[in-house]
């Protein structure tokens, strides 16, 4: 079909949904005041901001005062980790994380190491899953923070974050537990009320809101040292004029996803099973995502065809996928390496990620072109 577009890179970013777009336009065109202004325009903006925080608090089972808007999950992760350890400096200098984190967490860990912190990185078990007992063992009386993602962005691996958090707290209740929830946010159930999570990061552009808006949950009583200093907005934790249009858009997108979460999940399961069935017919394809991975991210390798070559081949037909994670732009995947896959499998990996708009027809089209590519590109070798 001429001009057909099949966007299967929703873990990299998403198209902005109508509800988010409308909310952003309202906050930019009509109710565009500065939330700190004392007049009616300011009050209108403050109302939008309050509604977004209140809405998120309801969706997440926390209090409005525990939520902060940031510029994205990179900032939320930095603030949680770098700000969290400073807040807990007197308690110790050891931090625990995993080998599969996003670059924005990995880089914070490297920064902490440069500052003299000891960083312990936990890897997966032989079956690819993470064991809460390993976190229990890694935490000691000198540990100040544990950071673990909810869903891996490259493979869809689901981390048992609640169990990990409980194991961590059992060993040392003082430890701050941070979760990078970006790839699970509004797709998986999450309730912070009785959770072991102290800090949680999320990003708007992964859930059909615009880029440049993020959320950070900081549990009441947890001390975080701000990274920026300025006008005292958001309790001084995250200063700078609040981005009301995008905060409002973020909540509008979240609300819609939350409403349809179960239907979307069922759709993703159906799409994944169709995809696995179809790529199972291509002998060159191996699936890198494990059974325990979420259904909306599937990582696979096509023998002997480098990721970028296949990615651009598919692009000719309007199919968009990713080679590993979009953020690492072609760098060798540390995630697939942590799974123990050989170099050839890592160099040929593709990530396919769905949205609620993805159809069975899209999957069949993708599988058909992948099959064609795997034979025609081999011939060109
Ligand atoms: N964490 C994870 C797991 C991600 O997938 C991403 C985005 N690729 C981020 C953090 C960073 O989010 P943002 O783009 O909002 O900075």
């Amino acid at each position: 079909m001429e001009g057909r577009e099949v966007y299967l890179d929703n873990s990299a970013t998403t198209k902005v949904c109508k509800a988010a777009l409308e909310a952003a336009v309202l906050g930019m065109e009509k109710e565009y005041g500065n939330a700190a202004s004392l007049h009616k325009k300011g009050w209108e903006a403050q109302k939008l901001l309050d509604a977004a925080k209140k809405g998120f608090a309801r969706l997440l089972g926390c209090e409005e005062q525990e939520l902060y808007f940031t510029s994205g999950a990179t900032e939320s992760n930095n603030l949680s980790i770098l700000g969290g350890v400073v807040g807990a400096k007197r308690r110790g200098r050891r931090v625990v994380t995993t080998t599969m984190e996003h670059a924005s967490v990995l880089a914070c860990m490297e920064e902490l190491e440069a500052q003299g912190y000891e960083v312990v990185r936990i890897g997966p078990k032989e079956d690819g899953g993470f064991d809460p007992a390993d976190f229990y063992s890694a935490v000691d009386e000198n540990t100040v923070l544990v950071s673990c993602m909810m869903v891996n962005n490259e493979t869809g691996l689901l981390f048992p974050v609640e169990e990990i958090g409980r194991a961590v707290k059992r060993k040392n209740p003082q430890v701050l537990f941070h979760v990078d929830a970006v790839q699970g946010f509004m797709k998986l159930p999450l309730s912070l009320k009785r959770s072991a999570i102290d800090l949680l990061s999320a990003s708007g552009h992964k859930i059909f809101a615009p880029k440049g808006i993020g959320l950070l949950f900081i549990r009441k009583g947890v001390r975080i040292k701000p990274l920026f200093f300025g006008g005292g907005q958001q309790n001084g934790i995250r200063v700078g004029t609040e981005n009301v249009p995008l905060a409002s858009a973020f909540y509008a997108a979240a609300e819609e996803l939350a409403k349809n979460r179960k239907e979307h999940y069922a759709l993703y399961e159906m799409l994944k099973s169709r995809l696995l069935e179809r790529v199972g017919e291509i002998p060159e394809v191996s699936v890198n995502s494990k059974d325990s991975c979420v259904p909306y991210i599937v990582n696979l390798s096509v023998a002997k065809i480098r990721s970028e070559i296949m990615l651009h081949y598919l692009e000719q037909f309007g199919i968009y996928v990713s080679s590993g994670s979009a953020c690492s732009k072609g760098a060798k995947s540390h995630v697939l390496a942590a799974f123990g896959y050989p170099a050839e499998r890592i160099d040929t990996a593709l990530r396919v990620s769905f949205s609620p708009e993805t159809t069975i027809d899209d999957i069949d089209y993708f599988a058909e072109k992948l099959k064609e590519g795997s034979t025609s590109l081999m011939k060109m070798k």
Side-chain angles (χ1 to χ4, degrees), residues 11 72-74 77 102 104 149 151 153 180 182-183 203 205-206 327:
S11 289
T74 296
N77 285 342
H102 182 261
S104 56
M149 65 195 340
V151 171
N153 49 306
D180 173 353
V182 169
Q183 299 287 352
S203 177
H205 75 100
K206 310 287 181 172
C327 309

Side-chain angles (χ1 to χ4, degrees), residues 213-278:
I213 184 79
L215 192 68
L216 173 58
F217 161 77
I218 306 178
R219 186 172 294 286
K220 210 197 294 178
V222 167
R223 277 193 53 220
I224 292 289
K225 178 111 166 49
L227 300 181
F228 307 134
F229 301 89
Q233 295 91 339
Q234 303 198 80
N235 296 330
I237 297 291
R238 205 296 189 161
V239 295
T241 303
E242 291 97 337
N243 191 339
V244 177
L246 296 201
S248 190
F250 189 8
Y251 174 62
E255 190 184 25
E256 235 182 47
L257 275 193
K259 243 189 286 169
N260 300 304
R261 189 172 54 76
K262 285 192 180 137
E263 294 91 282
H264 290 164
Y265 203 83
L267 169 72
Y268 297 145
E269 284 183 319
M270 206 230 320
L271 294 170
K272 180 176 178 179
S273 109
R274 180 68 161 221
L275 178 65
L276 296 183
E277 188 187 313
R278 295 302 310 271

Side-chain angles (χ1 to χ4, degrees), residues 319-330:
I319 300 169
Y320 302 101
V321 297
S322 200
S323 59
S325 93
C327 309
S328 48
K329 272 213 172 115

Side-chain angles (χ1 to χ4, degrees), residues 58-313:
R58 192 174 35 78
L59 291 181
L60 297 172
C62 66
E63 293 177 22
E64 287 161 67
Q65 297 78 7
E66 295 175 309
L67 294 174
Y68 300 82
F69 287 112
T70 64
S71 63
T74 296
E75 186 188 335
S76 299
N77 285 342
N78 273 259
L79 194 47
S80 296
I81 298 168
L82 301 179
V85 297
V86 177
K89 203 151 106 199
R90 264 178 282 127
R91 290 207 291 273
R93 312 265 300 167
R94 181 179 162 106
V95 172
V96 175
T97 189
T98 81
T99 52
M100 291 202 180
E101 299 300 311
H102 182 261
S104 56
V105 169
L106 293 179
C108 286
M109 295 299 166
E110 281 163 22
E111 169 59 24
L112 288 182
E113 268 173 338
Q115 291 177 16
Y117 280 83
E118 180 194 1
V119 177
V120 180
R121 294 171 177 83
I122 294 175
K125 294 275 182 211
E126 220 144 88
D127 66 356
F130 279 76
D131 188 348
D134 289 342
F135 291 80
Y136 182 87
S137 310
V139 166
D140 63 9
E141 68 285 353
N142 197 31
T143 306
V144 284
L145 180 134
V146 173
S147 180
C148 175
M149 65 195 340
M150 185 184 240
V151 171
N152 180 261
N153 49 306
E154 291 187 41
T155 57
L157 182 73
L158 181 63
F159 287 73
V161 284
E162 281 304 337
E163 288 86 338
I164 291 171
R166 280 199 295 273
V168 163
K169 298 278 178 178
R170 221 179 315 120
K171 187 77 172 281
N172 180 351
Q174 304 255 58
V175 171
L176 294 180
F177 183 48
H178 167 249
V179 172
D180 173 353
V182 169
Q183 299 287 352
F185 193 66
M186 294 300 138
K187 297 187 176 102
L188 303 173
L190 173 68
S191 173
L192 293 169
K193 195 174 239 140
R194 266 179 282 280
S195 153
I197 300 170
D198 296 307
L199 300 155
L200 180 125
S201 309
S203 177
H205 75 100
K206 310 287 181 172
I207 68 154
F208 313 97
K211 292 154 192 65
I213 184 79
L215 192 68
L216 173 58
F217 161 77
I218 306 178
R219 186 172 294 286
K220 210 197 294 178
V222 167
R223 277 193 53 220
I224 292 289
K225 178 111 166 49
L227 300 181
F228 307 134
F229 301 89
Q233 295 91 339
Q234 303 198 80
N235 296 330
I237 297 291
R238 205 296 189 161
V239 295
T241 303
E242 291 97 337
N243 191 339
V244 177
L246 296 201
S248 190
F250 189 8
Y251 174 62
E255 190 184 25
E256 235 182 47
L257 275 193
K259 243 189 286 169
N260 300 304
R261 189 172 54 76
K262 285 192 180 137
E263 294 91 282
H264 290 164
Y265 203 83
L267 169 72
Y268 297 145
E269 284 183 319
M270 206 230 320
L271 294 170
K272 180 176 178 179
S273 109
R274 180 68 161 221
L275 178 65
L276 296 183
E277 188 187 313
R278 295 302 310 271
V279 300
E281 296 159 7
I282 313 172
E284 292 83 1
V285 171
S286 331
V287 176
N288 301 323
S289 295
K290 315 266 176 184
D291 290 345
S292 52
C293 292
V294 295
Y296 46 88
I297 301 176
V298 181
N299 193 300
L300 48 87
S301 289
V302 185
K304 302 201 165 56
I305 317 280
R306 280 206 15 240
S307 314
E308 292 75 19
I309 307 281
M310 183 57 93
L311 182 152
H312 292 304
Y313 176 85

